[in-house]
Amino acid sequence: MEGAVSSSSQHESVSTDEYLERIYLRFAMIESDEQLQKFTDAYLIRLIETAGAEPKAVTKVGEILSHYNRRAKSNPAVKYPVETLLSMLNGKSAVTANLSLVYLRFATVHLNDDDYLSLLPVLLEVLSSKINEPSQCADDEIKSTCEAIRSGTKVSTPAMTVDEYLMVAEKVFPKDVSIVPIKLCVVKLLTSGLFEDSAIFSIIVLGSAEGIEAVSGAAEAILKKIDIQLCVDNRVVVDELMAAYLGTTMPSKPVIGKSSAVSPANSMMKQKILQFLTRSAIAPVSYMNNMKVCLDGLTQTSITKLLIAALNFLLKVIEKMPAAAQKNLSLLLFQRLQKILGEVKNGTAVSLIYRCMGMLGNRDISIVSAQEETVMLAFRAIATVSLLSSAHSS
């Protein structure tokens, strides 16, 4: 393996894709712990910085780091650039900070007391600059959203009307208290024993998709203690989750204020909601909101995780589709799936699309009888996957 580190000028002279491909090839040539350490010293930070600076490179960097992690994570011979990783937590890129945290966790397993002591000044410096950052970001976002609403600008207030957002922001949210402690207090109140699990479930699900780690972590911890299956098999809970996803109102939960328009959930919330709808026995047959959720999910081709979650839910919908719904909706779903097939590159998503199309075609052969090209594409895709699997196993 080449031990030399390529210079920044070399990086600038080639495209990012080519640069990352070269790094990947160098990783593939590693045969010893010594070479793995040299690779870590030369490229780990560069890969993290590239992912943070160039969004289009995130997938390729993730692929390289996935292979790297398998060899390095549990290898005590690998020493990570801990000081540099700590300093990168202060960067503006969330991708950079998150990847840095991953390798800091790997590193701490093999650090001793002397290592911790030597790193303490750097850690204190990072903490002092980061301690108020999440709250401030959230507070600034609330203020800017309120200003936009007052000025008449159309803004998204997930699962709320604009009037409800203003009420919470201006009346419930005091100026001298950060939003994070308030949200944590709400979570504690909801789980204080005053409410049944089914009454708080949809709120906790939305909380688990919060962009603030302290809040989402608290919500996730609560979900582990709740009888999830009992909740997702409750029709009221399913209706609440679907209403939050779609941005619709419910008779059982009237909106506050003059506005009746509820913003749909954001992409992270939608992904979480879909995970629980897929586990439900009744959500797949809750017409017509189940179809609205599926059709919305099929438009999310640029957000792979959300699309995959939607396709998994669609599979459940198709499996449980009654004859009347099948007659009216199968062709529509098949055409929507066929439409996005050319846009999707992720292998998991593509396989789920073909599974959905196959199930629809199996139920109604007339749908695929005139789709010779689609059938041929499906067989080619299966053949390609089989060849890749054989090559990988050999």
Side-chain angles (χ1 to χ4, degrees), residues 1 16 56 88 91 96 105 146 159 179 192-193 231 278 303 305 334 367:
M1 175 186 154
T16 300
K56 292 182 179 179
M88 293 172 77
T96 300
R105 292 191 185 102
C146 289
I179 189 66
S192 62
C231 289
T278 303
I303 310 174
K305 289 184 178 180
F334 191 92
I367 293 177

Side-chain angles (χ1 to χ4, degrees), residues 107-121:
T108 54
V109 176
H110 306 298
L111 294 179
N112 56 39
D113 291 344
D114 290 337
D115 294 326
Y116 283 120
L117 190 60
S118 65
L119 291 168
L120 187 58

